[in-house]
Amino acid sequence: RRLAWLAAATVVTASLAVRVIHRGTYYPGFDVVGAANGLYLVSTRSWTDAIVHLWTQNRSYGAPFPYYTVLGALIPGAATALAPWPYWADVTTLLAFAASLWLLARAARRDMPTGWIVLLGFAASPTLLTLAVCGMPWATAFLPHAFALWLILDPRLARHPLGTLLGGLLTIELSWHTYELGKTVPVVFAAGALLAPRVPRTSRVAWLVVAAIGVAQALVHPSMHTNAYLTREMLQ
């Protein structure tokens, strides 16, 4: 087991290092636009005003990602204000993706002896390895789905309707601070309500409520991306 962990970790570390070294000091401007706006907010407003402005624009601005999100703007922007460095957005993306892997391992009931399987699966995907170290946080879209799967598949969490309801609402809010594919997370809650075995009926109702809230928010506050898939022309 230790050898398996060491092998998987070595492959992942080496693969990520090769990508970072190969890119060197060159990166696309979109890798820093979110952090730049976050830095602007925390530098020109109080924390309360910055959070209120971010939350408001997140629901009203046509392209909120990554300019008005916690993971894409506020966290790397605040880190840049504390310690100026052009790669805080990359670090934030990597940590968010690592959290997704951990949550997926918990959802699949992989403990420490077998958790290396998740890491090995990550190592097998060149695309995921690349996205995990991009400043443009596309990879954050996995985080709400991983969180939702954990809430649904962990028996201890599924047996507590109020806790899973609050966790579900937190997941829906989180999906608004990730790449916009994260907003499809209501599908996970709806599937859990219909398909998860040996779950209290109250938890199923809670997941359906969460799914409905997620869909309603996407419809009431469409961005330029989600709106494109809701128009009649795109549906045709």
Side-chain angles (χ1 to χ4, degrees):
R1 291 172 180 174
R2 291 180 180 177
L3 181 60
W5 267 109
L6 179 61
T10 299
V11 172
V12 169
T13 302
S15 298
L16 295 179
V18 166
R19 284 163 169 76
V20 173
I21 293 172
H22 177 71
R23 182 175 62 184
T25 58
Y26 298 97
Y27 48 83
F30 270 112
D31 271 24
V32 295
V33 291
N37 194 53
L39 175 61
Y40 170 74
L41 289 176
V42 300
S43 300
T44 59
R45 301 170 182 264
S46 67
W47 271 98
T48 301
D49 289 342
I51 292 173
V52 170
H53 180 73
L54 182 146
W55 194 91
T56 303
Q57 292 296 94
N58 185 272
R59 261 69 175 182
S60 58
Y61 183 58
F65 175 84
Y67 313 103
Y68 297 104
T69 62
V70 170
L71 293 177
L74 192 61
I75 291 178
T80 305
L82 293 172
W85 192 47
Y87 298 104
W88 283 118
D90 303 70
V91 173
T92 303
T93 301
L94 181 59
L95 292 177
F97 191 76
S100 299
L101 293 180
W102 180 79
L103 288 169
L104 286 173
R106 295 295 301 272
R109 303 182 196 178
R110 294 289 175 183
D111 54 14
M112 280 299 295
T114 59
W116 60 270
I117 296 175
V118 176
L119 195 61
L120 187 63
F122 173 40
S125 173
T127 301
L128 292 182
L129 288 165
T130 299
L131 291 178
V133 289
C134 285
M136 185 66 171
W138 290 296
T140 58
F142 296 103
L143 189 55
H145 294 82
F147 200 1
L149 287 171
W150 180 43
L151 289 172
I152 292 169
L153 297 178
D154 189 313
R156 295 169 299 177
L157 298 174
R159 286 195 295 266
H160 294 83
L162 180 59
T164 198
L165 174 63
L166 295 177
L169 295 176
L170 177 62
T171 305
I172 293 298
E173 179 61 30
L174 176 63
S175 71
W176 282 78
H177 298 276
T178 64
Y179 180 50
E180 293 205 283
L181 280 175
K183 294 178 183 177
T184 61
V185 72
V187 175
V188 180
F189 285 106
L194 298 175
L195 302 174
R198 297 183 298 277
V199 175
R201 185 175 300 177
T202 48
S203 293
R204 297 184 189 277
V205 172
W207 294 338
L208 287 175
V209 169
V210 169
I213 291 174
V215 172
Q217 286 204 68
L219 294 175
V220 174
H221 304 290
S223 70
M224 61 182 292
H225 300 113
T226 56
N227 194 47
Y229 290 94
L230 296 173
T231 59
R232 181 175 301 176
E233 291 78 11
M234 288 300 297
L235 291 176
Q236 290 176 344

